[in-house]
Amino acid sequence: MPDRILMPFLALIGLGLIALSLVWPQGYGARSPGPFGSVPIQQTPEMRVKIQREKDAAAKNEQQAREQVSEARAAASAAP
């Protein structure tokens, strides 16, 4: 394919992708600037409460697992 056709075509594709990135819906990250952005799901109060509950449950499970391991080690070292 001649460069006279390929290069403008690639530039057009590049500009199209840049334009698409400006209006594409944002994920869970920070808010997009200007009129395109919206509040991310993870920044809503309901989601923050849910995330905190999950973190607390994970920390509790981890603490219980650590206690079980230390109890098992103590029982193993106490047994002759």
Side-chain angles (χ1 to χ4, degrees):
M1 182 177 274
D3 286 345
R4 287 183 180 179
I5 297 172
L6 181 65
M7 294 302 169
F9 182 68
L10 290 177
L12 185 63
I13 289 174
L15 289 174
L17 289 174
I18 291 171
L20 181 64
S21 73
L22 292 174
V23 297
W24 192 261
Q26 299 298 308
Y28 293 118
R31 179 181 154 93
S32 179
F36 305 116
S38 60
V39 177
I41 294 170
Q42 289 184 338
Q43 292 182 4
T44 59
E46 299 84 20
M47 219 32 183
R48 286 183 185 223
V49 169
K50 184 177 179 182
I51 290 170
Q52 188 61 43
R53 268 191 262 135
E54 289 176 1
K55 284 182 182 179
D56 293 343
K60 183 180 175 184
N61 289 340
E62 182 181 357
Q63 183 62 28
Q64 288 175 348
R66 288 179 190 265
E67 289 173 3
Q68 289 175 351
V69 168
S70 64
E71 289 172 3
R73 285 185 181 167
S77 64

